[in-house]
Amino acid sequence: MKVKCVFYLTLLYCVYCTTAATTTPSPSANKIQYRCTTQGYYYSEAKFSNVIIDESTIPLFTCDSTSQKQIVKFEMSSIEEVPKKLFDTFSNLLVANFTRSGIKFINRYSLDRAVNLQKLDLSSNAIEQLNANCFSGATALLELNLTFNNISSIDKLAFNTLFNLILLRLTGNKLRSLDNNVFEPLKSLRTIYLNSNELQVIESGIIAKNTKLQFLLLQNNHISMVEEGAFLIDNLEASSNLTVVSLSNNKLTKLNVEKVKIIQLYLTNNTLESLHLSPWIGTVYAENNIISNVTVSDVTNMQLKTLRLANNSITSLESIQQFHSLVDLDLSNNHIGPLNITSLAKLANLQQLGLERTFISNLQHGTFAQQQSLKWLDISYNNLDRFDFDILTSSAALQQIFLEGNRLKSLNYEHLKKTFPALVKIGLSENNWNCTYLIQLVRYCNEHSIELFKSQAVQNQTNVKGIYCFDDKNPLANWNNTLQHVQALHPHLNSTTEDSALQTLLQSVLDDVKRFSENHADVANQTNKLDGAVYDLTKNQFTIQKDVNSLRQSLFEIRLALMANRTNGSVGADNDELRRMIETANNLTLDKQELRAKTLEFKIYEQTFKVDKALELAQESIDKNTVLAKRVEQWISSIVSTSGMLGQDRLLVHQSAAQVEGSGGNGNGVNIAVLVMLCVLIGLIMIGIFKFNRRSYGVERRRYANRDSSMATIISNDI
């Protein structure tokens, strides 16, 4: 009977322990028992929640089928140091996760029994230092995560037993320096995360014994110097390389890796002035530096495929030309200037080329003659006023091209898809397109499945498919769009942005003036050329007619001489023949007079036509100025009213009302004066042109009138 009672009491105790998810005090006051929560009897993961362990606490961990548990995870717990009892209980433990558990220390005996542990996660805790032998016992450890702690120092013997460690994470700590022997015991180490610390110097030989290392991540530190030989590895096999070395977002001013075997090197956001590379490097990302020169120790055997040098100080391609193995080259935001025909001659393997904002003003035939593999080309935001796709005839594999932000007005797109059958994307925005022309260009792209890339879609201005253009049939609409756009923004402007808004408006107006001036200049030039051609044809016609008359006169003189000879020879002249000769002479005289009259009439008509065109142009300019003046007047009145409201608001803030009104008045007065002076200047220019044309045309008319008075004398002399 007693045996049965003991059995039932034991059974009830086990049931109670199974259902308990919180701590249960044991008979000993210093011992607290924690029971895991699992999903299934044989589930390999054990979770402990709300565990609180301090110096006076001896924790006891229990779980069903303890020997089967390989993963232990703590949640919402507060533990000062890694509990040794955990590894006494779970002898087969492979993974221990103590994330966000408040751990401050790692005792040198805490992991004595963790002989099977392969992954230890201590991230997001409060560890400040790693002492010698703190990981003693965990000889099978493969991954150690110490990210986002407060570690400021690491003893050189801290990792002395981690011979099998492959991955070490130290991101987000407070390390300022490292002993150059601290990683020496880690013979199997392949990846080190040291990013987002406070490191200042990388000493020579720091990874010399890590012969299997592939990834060294040092970005987001304060590194100002990398000692020569810092990335050299002892007894490195010819086939072994550091796959990635990242030094981005540091304070480097110089770097020499001419003897280092690295495949990918990241140097973005430093202050590097020059770069010396080894022939083994395959990829370099060095954007946002001040690099002006790049060299390679052995050009013949170089393996460089990708070179990103955007936003640096490159002014010439002389140092880049030697990199014949390049496939991807980005030189955006460098002041390179005009390209020579031979600038890219040696870069025959290029597939991607970025020349955005490089101040290119000319592209000649032959510049891309060697780029037969080119697939991606960016020449946006340069000074190109024309672009001929025939320049890229050799690059038949072209897939994407970006031309936005230039001054293009036309493209020879008629055979674009035939020349570049793989073309799928083109950038056209922010150029000087005529809307009618742009519609045809966009229609061609749509018909041939060419995507239009738009960096910023335009909505409140004349556009085609979100690409800005100007309408030559309604040019004032562009002025109206600019004014309406600023008027819409003005109510939301404050005192700090008002001046910048006015500057933006003024710049927009000047851009419109420039664009329309260029457009009208082109039209006027074409009209003048046409008028000149008509004038030349008419003048040639008169010249031919004069030559014909001269020939007729010569024939008449010959016939007259023959008649005189017959008369002298006592041969009677036929009265009919004599009458015909006199009639011919009269007709010839009349034809000459008619030709002179037509010539004079044509010249008078020519001058009259020019005067009429000048009057028409002047009237059109006056109408435009009138409309613009009304718009500016309305806009100025809105500024004045809004500025008055701003002045009243400022009265509540500033102590002196007179100073506020004075400063506001001065700012608005200057802005209004600038706009009024701009309008007056345009009007004066138009009036000056009109008067000059009228005066020149008056002089021409008087000159031809004087010539008319002597026309009879001229005709008589010619005959």
Side-chain angles (χ1 to χ4, degrees):
M1 186 66 178
K2 291 182 180 180
V3 174
K4 290 184 179 180
C5 290
V6 171
F7 173 78
Y8 285 120
L9 288 174
T10 304
L11 182 61
L12 289 173
Y13 177 77
C14 291
V15 171
Y16 173 77
C17 292
T18 304
T19 58
T22 59
T23 61
T24 303
S26 64
S28 175
N30 294 327
K31 294 182 180 180
I32 300 179
Q33 188 178 51
Y34 297 95
R35 185 167 183 80
C36 71
T37 58
T38 61
Q39 298 178 359
Y41 188 75
Y42 293 104
Y43 194 72
S44 61
E45 181 177 338
K47 292 183 180 180
F48 291 92
S49 302
N50 301 314
V51 176
I52 301 175
I53 304 175
D54 54 24
E55 295 180 355
S56 61
T57 303
I58 300 177
L60 298 176
F61 301 97
T62 61
C63 209
D64 293 335
S65 185
T66 299
S67 60
Q68 302 294 330
K69 306 304 179 184
Q70 298 179 347
I71 302 174
V72 170
K73 184 177 181 180
F74 288 82
E75 297 178 344
M76 298 177 292
S77 300
S78 177
I79 307 172
E80 287 193 358
E81 65 178 57
V82 177
K84 180 177 181 299
K85 286 291 185 180
L86 180 69
F87 303 100
D88 292 339
T89 304
F90 298 92
S91 57
N92 295 321
L93 192 61
L94 300 179
V95 178
N97 190 334
F98 294 95
T99 301
R100 297 181 181 86
S101 297
I103 295 176
K104 298 180 180 179
F105 313 103
I106 304 176
N107 193 292
R108 64 176 299 175
Y109 303 108
S110 297
L111 300 173
D112 277 348
R113 302 294 299 274
V115 292
N116 296 315
L117 188 65
Q118 296 182 3
K119 182 177 179 180
L120 176 60
D121 191 343
L122 295 169
S123 60
S124 301
N125 283 286
I127 303 171
E128 296 182 355
Q129 59 184 4
L130 299 178
N131 298 320
N133 302 310
C134 60
F135 299 103
S136 178
T139 55
L141 198 63
L142 301 177
E143 296 183 18
L144 176 58
N145 190 349
L146 294 166
T147 60
F148 301 107
N149 281 274
N150 298 320
I151 301 173
S152 59
S153 64
I154 302 177
D155 190 277
K156 65 179 181 180
L157 298 177
F159 306 124
N160 64 340
T161 60
L162 303 182
F163 307 111
N164 297 308
L165 191 68
I166 295 175
L167 173 61
L168 175 60
R169 296 179 182 270
L170 288 165
T171 301
N173 283 281
K174 297 181 179 180
L175 293 169
R176 294 188 177 183
S177 62
L178 291 169
D179 189 285
N180 59 356
N181 295 319
V182 68
F183 301 126
E184 182 176 346
L186 307 178
K187 303 298 183 181
S188 302
L189 191 64
R190 297 181 182 177
T191 303
I192 305 177
Y193 285 87
L194 286 166
N195 53 302
S196 300
N197 279 274
E198 300 174 6
L199 295 172
Q200 298 178 358
V201 177
I202 304 301
E203 297 182 2
S204 177
I206 192 171
I207 58 172
K209 303 300 181 181
N210 306 111
T211 57
K212 296 183 179 180
L213 188 64
Q214 296 181 357
F215 300 91
L216 179 58
L217 307 179
L218 294 163
Q219 67 270 23
N220 299 312
N221 279 279
H222 306 305
I223 301 173
S224 59
M225 184 175 67
V226 176
E227 295 183 357
E228 187 174 355
F231 301 138
L232 291 177
I233 299 177
D234 295 346
N235 301 322
L236 183 63
E237 298 178 1
S239 59
S240 299
N241 293 304
L242 279 169
T243 303
V244 174
V245 172
S246 178
L247 289 164
S248 299
N249 300 312
N250 280 287
K251 299 180 179 180
L252 290 171
T253 58
K254 60 180 180 179
L255 181 65
N256 190 334
V257 288
E258 291 183 344
K259 300 179 181 180
V260 182
K261 292 186 176 181
I262 303 174
I263 297 179
Q264 298 181 22
L265 180 61
Y266 294 83
L267 301 170
T268 304
N269 296 327
N270 282 278
T271 55
L272 292 167
E273 298 179 0
S274 61
L275 193 57
H276 307 283
L277 305 176
S278 70
W280 299 283
I281 294 180
T283 300
V284 175
Y285 291 89
E287 299 95 335
N288 302 325
N289 285 276
I290 52 175
I291 298 172
S292 60
N293 187 37
V294 183
T295 60
V296 176
S297 58
D298 186 1
V299 178
T300 305
N301 298 317
M302 64 179 302
Q303 302 176 16
L304 188 63
K305 302 294 184 183
T306 301
L307 181 59
R308 299 288 182 89
L309 293 173
N311 195 21
N312 275 280
S313 300
I314 304 294
T315 58
S316 173
L317 296 182
E318 292 182 2
S319 63
I320 308 296
Q321 289 180 357
Q322 58 184 328
F323 304 148
H324 55 82
S325 60
L326 277 176
V327 175
D328 184 354
L329 175 61
D330 186 5
L331 296 172
S332 303
N333 292 289
N334 284 277
H335 203 298
I336 296 175
L339 294 179
N340 297 324
I341 295 179
T342 59
S343 296
L344 304 172
K346 297 180 181 180
L347 306 178
N349 296 316
L350 277 182
Q351 296 183 12
Q352 297 188 35
L353 177 59
L355 294 172
E356 176 187 357
R357 301 182 191 275
T358 51
F359 297 89
I360 297 174
S361 58
N362 68 319
L363 287 175
Q364 307 174 53
H365 287 273
T367 304
F368 299 96
Q370 306 302 321
Q371 280 64 56
Q372 299 180 3
S373 302
L374 192 63
K375 298 180 180 179
W376 190 93
L377 176 62
D378 187 352
I379 52 176
S380 58
Y381 299 99
N382 281 288
N383 300 320
L384 299 174
D385 54 7
R386 64 181 182 274
F387 180 77
D388 189 354
F389 276 107
D390 291 339
I391 296 174
L392 297 170
T393 302
S394 300
S395 306
L398 190 67
Q399 298 177 0
Q400 300 182 36
I401 184 170
F402 303 93
L403 301 169
E404 60 267 28
N406 285 283
R407 297 179 294 169
L408 301 177
K409 298 179 181 179
S410 62
L411 288 173
N412 54 333
Y413 65 88
E414 293 81 4
H415 304 290
L416 187 59
K417 194 65 175 180
K418 184 178 180 180
T419 307
F420 308 103
L423 187 64
V424 295
K425 182 180 290 187
I426 185 171
L428 298 172
S429 58
E430 301 182 56
N431 279 283
N432 296 337
W433 304 118
N434 177 280
C435 290
T436 304
Y437 180 85
L438 184 59
I439 290 173
Q440 300 175 358
L441 177 55
V442 170
R443 183 178 295 131
Y444 178 89
C445 293
N446 291 336
E447 290 175 353
H448 293 83
S449 301
I450 301 175
E451 179 185 352
L452 295 173
F453 173 78
K454 297 181 287 292
S455 56
Q456 183 177 2
V458 176
Q459 297 180 352
N460 59 345
Q461 294 180 336
T462 53
N463 66 89
V464 177
K465 292 289 187 179
I467 302 174
Y468 171 78
C469 63
F470 64 93
D471 189 358
D472 54 354
K473 298 180 180 178
N474 186 18
L476 289 179
N478 298 278
W479 294 81
N480 298 339
N481 288 333
T482 301
L483 293 174
Q484 291 173 2
H485 178 65
V486 177
Q487 288 176 354
L489 292 178
H490 183 70
H492 303 285
L493 298 177
N494 53 34
S495 59
T496 60
T497 60
E498 186 174 356
D499 292 339
S500 61
L502 292 176
Q503 292 176 1
T504 303
L505 170 66
L506 183 58
Q507 186 62 43
S508 300
V509 171
L510 292 177
D511 291 342
D512 287 340
V513 170
K514 181 179 179 181
R515 181 168 55 253
F516 290 119
S517 297
E518 291 177 353
N519 180 51
H520 289 306
D522 292 341
V523 174
N525 188 27
Q526 294 176 3
T527 303
N528 292 335
K529 288 182 179 179
L530 181 60
D531 292 341
V534 174
Y535 174 78
D536 292 339
L537 290 174
T538 307
K539 187 176 180 180
N540 292 335
Q541 180 183 358
F542 289 160
T543 302
I544 294 172
Q545 186 65 37
K546 183 178 179 180
D547 293 339
V548 171
N549 290 339
S550 299
L551 181 59
R552 290 173 60 189
Q553 183 176 356
S554 299
L555 292 174
F556 173 75
E557 291 175 353
I558 292 172
R559 293 174 64 184
L560 186 62
L562 292 174
M563 182 180 292
N565 290 334
R566 287 203 302 265
T567 303
N568 294 332
S570 300
V571 179
D574 190 357
N575 292 331
D576 293 336
E577 185 176 0
L578 182 60
R579 182 177 53 80
R580 287 194 297 272
M581 292 291 292
I582 294 173
E583 184 179 355
T584 301
N586 293 333
N587 292 336
L588 181 60
T589 302
L590 292 175
D591 289 342
K592 288 184 176 181
Q593 292 178 351
E594 183 179 1
L595 178 61
R596 294 291 184 271
K598 287 183 178 180
T599 303
L600 179 60
E601 181 182 357
F602 171 73
K603 291 182 178 180
I604 294 173
Y605 170 77
E606 178 187 9
Q607 299 302 321
T608 304
F609 176 77
K610 291 182 178 180
V611 172
D612 293 338
K613 293 296 290 183
L615 291 173
E616 182 180 351
L617 180 60
Q619 184 61 40
E620 182 181 355
S621 300
I622 292 173
D623 293 340
K624 290 180 180 179
N625 288 331
T626 302
V627 174
L628 178 61
K630 290 181 180 180
R631 291 283 182 180
V632 172
E633 182 179 358
Q634 296 174 359
W635 185 75
I636 290 174
S637 62
S638 65
I639 290 178
V640 172
S641 60
T642 307
S643 300
M645 295 176 62
L646 290 173
Q648 294 176 2
D649 293 337
R650 292 169 184 167
L651 287 174
L652 300 177
V653 180
H654 295 280
Q655 295 179 357
S656 176
Q659 292 179 356
V660 173
E661 292 180 358
S663 61
N666 290 334
N668 291 326
V670 172
N671 295 329
I672 294 172
V674 170
L675 293 175
V676 172
M677 289 177 65
L678 177 62
C679 296
V680 171
L681 181 60
I682 294 175
L684 290 176
I685 292 173
M686 293 300 179
I687 293 173
I689 294 173
F690 172 71
K691 288 185 177 180
F692 177 77
N693 291 333
R694 287 293 300 270
R695 186 176 64 180
S696 61
Y697 296 150
V699 171
E700 291 294 329
R701 277 197 161 185
R702 287 195 297 270
R703 185 162 63 88
Y704 281 102
N706 294 331
R707 291 183 60 183
D708 188 23
S709 63
S710 60
M711 183 56 64
T713 305
I714 295 173
I715 294 174
S716 299
N717 292 334
D718 289 342
I719 295 175

